[in-house]
Amino acid sequence: TILSRCQRFDFKRVSFEEILVRLEHICKELGIAYEVEALKLIIQKSDGAVRDTLSSLDQCLSIKENRITVSDVVNILGVVEKTQILTLVQFLESEQSGEVLLTVDNILKHGKDVQQFVNAMIEVYRDVLILKMVKENHASLIDASTEYIESIRDVSLGMTSNHISRS
Protein backbone atom coordinates (compact mmCIF):
# COMPACT_ATOMS: atom_id res chain seq x y z
CA THR A 1 0.00 0.00 0.00
CA ILE A 2 2.90 2.36 0.61
CA LEU A 3 4.26 1.97 -2.90
CA SER A 4 0.91 2.81 -4.43
CA ARG A 5 1.02 6.17 -2.66
CA CYS A 6 4.54 7.08 -3.84
CA GLN A 7 5.58 8.82 -6.98
CA ARG A 8 8.44 7.29 -8.87
CA PHE A 9 10.92 9.34 -10.87
CA ASP A 10 13.39 7.64 -13.18
CA PHE A 11 16.34 9.91 -13.88
CA LYS A 12 18.60 9.36 -16.81
CA ARG A 13 21.98 10.79 -17.60
CA VAL A 14 21.95 13.88 -19.81
CA SER A 15 23.89 13.22 -23.00
CA PHE A 16 27.10 14.98 -23.90
CA GLU A 17 25.44 16.49 -26.98
CA GLU A 18 22.49 17.87 -25.01
CA ILE A 19 24.82 19.56 -22.54
CA LEU A 20 26.91 20.97 -25.38
CA VAL A 21 23.84 22.40 -27.10
CA ARG A 22 22.75 23.99 -23.81
CA LEU A 23 26.19 25.56 -23.19
CA GLU A 24 26.23 26.93 -26.74
CA HIS A 25 22.76 28.40 -26.18
CA ILE A 26 23.86 30.02 -22.91
CA CYS A 27 26.96 31.52 -24.53
CA LYS A 28 24.96 32.88 -27.46
CA GLU A 29 22.34 34.39 -25.13
CA LEU A 30 25.07 36.10 -23.08
CA GLY A 31 26.97 37.26 -26.19
CA ILE A 32 30.08 35.26 -25.33
CA ALA A 33 32.48 34.11 -28.03
CA TYR A 34 33.52 30.51 -27.49
CA GLU A 35 35.45 27.64 -28.98
CA VAL A 36 33.42 24.45 -29.19
CA GLU A 37 36.43 22.44 -28.01
CA ALA A 38 36.58 24.64 -24.90
CA LEU A 39 32.96 23.83 -24.09
CA LYS A 40 33.68 20.13 -24.65
CA LEU A 41 36.57 20.35 -22.19
CA ILE A 42 34.28 21.91 -19.59
CA ILE A 43 31.78 19.07 -20.05
CA GLN A 44 34.51 16.42 -19.84
CA LYS A 45 35.90 17.98 -16.68
CA SER A 46 32.45 17.87 -15.13
CA ASP A 47 32.01 14.22 -16.10
CA GLY A 48 28.60 14.86 -17.62
CA ALA A 49 27.04 16.44 -14.51
CA VAL A 50 24.93 19.39 -15.65
CA ARG A 51 25.25 21.38 -12.42
CA ASP A 52 29.04 20.92 -12.34
CA THR A 53 29.24 21.89 -16.01
CA LEU A 54 27.34 25.12 -15.39
CA SER A 55 29.50 25.88 -12.35
CA SER A 56 32.66 25.34 -14.40
CA LEU A 57 31.31 27.56 -17.18
CA ASP A 58 30.53 30.24 -14.60
CA GLN A 59 34.02 29.91 -13.16
CA CYS A 60 35.57 30.40 -16.61
CA LEU A 61 33.32 33.39 -17.30
CA SER A 62 34.24 35.03 -14.00
CA ILE A 63 37.84 35.30 -15.16
CA LYS A 64 37.38 35.75 -18.90
CA GLU A 65 34.14 37.65 -19.41
CA ASN A 66 33.63 37.78 -23.18
CA ARG A 67 35.49 34.79 -24.58
CA ILE A 68 36.11 31.14 -23.73
CA THR A 69 39.07 29.40 -25.35
CA VAL A 70 40.62 26.00 -24.84
CA SER A 71 43.72 27.52 -23.25
CA ASP A 72 41.54 29.52 -20.83
CA VAL A 73 39.65 26.39 -19.76
CA VAL A 74 42.90 24.47 -19.34
CA ASN A 75 44.42 27.23 -17.22
CA ILE A 76 41.36 28.09 -15.15
CA LEU A 77 40.05 24.59 -14.44
CA GLY A 78 43.37 22.74 -14.40
CA VAL A 79 42.19 20.37 -17.10
CA VAL A 80 44.73 18.19 -18.87
CA GLU A 81 44.29 18.35 -22.62
CA LYS A 82 43.85 15.03 -24.37
CA THR A 83 46.52 16.01 -26.88
CA GLN A 84 49.07 16.13 -24.04
CA ILE A 85 47.95 12.71 -22.86
CA LEU A 86 48.08 11.37 -26.40
CA THR A 87 51.69 12.54 -26.65
CA LEU A 88 52.40 10.76 -23.37
CA VAL A 89 50.81 7.57 -24.71
CA GLN A 90 53.01 7.82 -27.81
CA PHE A 91 56.09 8.04 -25.58
CA LEU A 92 54.86 5.08 -23.52
CA GLU A 93 54.25 2.96 -26.60
CA SER A 94 57.64 3.77 -28.09
CA GLU A 95 59.27 3.05 -24.70
CA GLN A 96 60.83 6.51 -24.39
CA SER A 97 60.91 6.49 -20.60
CA GLY A 98 62.85 9.75 -20.32
CA GLU A 99 60.24 11.60 -22.38
CA VAL A 100 57.46 9.97 -20.34
CA LEU A 101 58.95 11.28 -17.10
CA LEU A 102 59.52 14.75 -18.54
CA THR A 103 55.96 14.94 -19.90
CA VAL A 104 54.40 13.82 -16.61
CA ASP A 105 56.62 16.25 -14.69
CA ASN A 106 55.62 19.08 -17.04
CA ILE A 107 51.92 18.33 -16.62
CA LEU A 108 52.17 18.24 -12.83
CA LYS A 109 54.40 21.34 -12.63
CA HIS A 110 51.71 23.32 -14.41
CA GLY A 111 49.37 22.64 -11.51
CA LYS A 112 47.18 20.02 -13.14
CA ASP A 113 45.07 17.95 -10.81
CA VAL A 114 46.47 14.42 -10.46
CA GLN A 115 43.00 12.85 -10.45
CA GLN A 116 42.09 14.66 -13.66
CA PHE A 117 45.41 13.57 -15.15
CA VAL A 118 44.68 9.91 -14.35
CA ASN A 119 41.11 10.24 -15.65
CA ALA A 120 42.42 11.78 -18.87
CA MET A 121 44.85 8.86 -19.30
CA ILE A 122 41.98 6.40 -18.86
CA GLU A 123 39.83 8.32 -21.36
CA VAL A 124 42.56 8.34 -24.01
CA TYR A 125 43.18 4.61 -23.65
CA ARG A 126 39.41 4.07 -23.78
CA ASP A 127 39.22 6.11 -26.98
CA VAL A 128 42.09 4.13 -28.52
CA LEU A 129 40.39 0.87 -27.56
CA ILE A 130 37.07 2.00 -29.04
CA LEU A 131 38.80 2.99 -32.26
CA LYS A 132 40.46 -0.43 -32.48
CA MET A 133 37.33 -2.42 -31.69
CA VAL A 134 34.56 -0.41 -33.39
CA LYS A 135 35.26 -0.04 -37.10
CA GLU A 136 32.16 1.98 -37.99
CA ASN A 137 30.35 4.68 -36.02
CA HIS A 138 33.17 5.03 -33.50
CA ALA A 139 32.71 8.81 -33.62
CA SER A 140 29.39 8.39 -31.81
CA LEU A 141 31.25 6.80 -28.88
CA ILE A 142 34.15 9.27 -28.79
CA ASP A 143 33.24 12.86 -27.92
CA ALA A 144 36.13 14.66 -29.59
CA SER A 145 37.22 16.51 -32.68
CA THR A 146 38.03 14.73 -35.92
CA GLU A 147 41.68 15.83 -35.56
CA TYR A 148 41.88 14.10 -32.19
CA ILE A 149 40.32 10.94 -33.61
CA GLU A 150 42.86 10.95 -36.44
CA SER A 151 45.65 11.35 -33.86
CA ILE A 152 44.29 8.37 -31.96
CA ARG A 153 44.19 6.37 -35.18
CA ASP A 154 47.89 7.13 -35.78
CA VAL A 155 48.84 6.10 -32.23
CA SER A 156 46.76 2.93 -32.30
CA LEU A 157 48.31 1.50 -35.45
CA GLY A 158 50.95 -0.55 -33.63
CA MET A 159 48.73 -1.50 -30.73
CA THR A 160 46.48 -4.53 -30.22
CA SER A 161 43.27 -4.58 -28.18
CA ASN A 162 44.89 -6.88 -25.62
CA HIS A 163 47.85 -4.53 -25.26
CA ILE A 164 45.57 -1.53 -24.77
CA SER A 165 43.51 -3.38 -22.16
CA ARG A 166 46.67 -4.20 -20.18
CA SER A 167 47.87 -0.59 -20.31
Side-chain angles (χ1 to χ4, degrees):
T1 60
I2 294 173
L3 289 178
S4 67
R5 295 169 195 267
C6 294
Q7 285 186 340
R8 179 180 166 154
F9 296 98
D10 292 323
F11 294 103
K12 65 179 178 103
R13 190 173 180 92
V14 180
S15 74
F16 187 92
E17 293 80 23
E18 289 174 317
I19 298 172
L20 181 60
V21 167
R22 187 66 185 158
L23 289 184
E24 288 176 330
H25 173 73
I26 290 169
C27 288
K28 286 176 185 172
E29 287 292 315
L30 296 174
I32 296 164
Y34 62 91
E35 294 176 359
V36 174
E37 292 302 315
L39 297 181
K40 288 181 179 181
L41 267 178
I42 291 172
I43 297 168
Q44 288 169 358
K45 189 251 183 217
S46 303
D47 194 31
V50 176
R51 184 179 58 199
D52 293 346
T53 301
L54 293 174
S55 295
S56 295
L57 176 66
D58 190 43
Q59 187 177 353
C60 291
L61 291 176
S62 69
I63 294 173
K64 293 281 191 163
E65 293 178 11
N66 297 328
R67 183 164 177 75
I68 298 176
T69 64
V70 171
S71 61
D72 292 337
V73 172
V74 167
N75 292 331
I76 295 168
L77 300 179
V79 177
V80 181
E81 288 183 87
K82 284 187 176 181
T83 54
Q84 284 182 304
I85 300 300
L86 199 54
T87 301
L88 180 61
V89 169
Q90 288 173 323
F91 290 143
L92 284 167
E93 294 307 313
S94 61
E95 297 180 0
Q96 296 178 0
S97 55
E99 292 297 325
V100 169
L101 293 173
L102 288 172
T103 304
V104 170
D105 184 57
N106 184 36
I107 289 170
L108 296 178
K109 276 186 179 175
H110 282 89
K112 305 304 179 199
D113 181 30
V114 176
Q115 186 63 44
Q116 286 186 19
F117 168 66
V118 171
N119 288 341
M121 284 287 293
I122 292 169
E123 285 179 26
V124 168
Y125 272 110
R126 173 195 170 271
D127 294 344
V128 172
L129 189 61
I130 287 172
L131 195 64
K132 289 297 266 188
M133 296 180 80
V134 180
K135 298 300 177 192
E136 295 178 13
N137 298 326
H138 55 266
S140 65
L141 298 172
I142 301 172
D143 295 317
S145 65
T146 54
E147 295 85 17
Y148 172 73
I149 293 174
E150 289 302 317
S151 298
I152 292 174
R153 189 181 319 279
D154 294 341
V155 170
S156 69
L157 289 177
M159 301 168 76
T160 65
S161 299
N162 289 334
H163 174 74
I164 298 166
S165 296
R166 286 191 316 264
S167 297

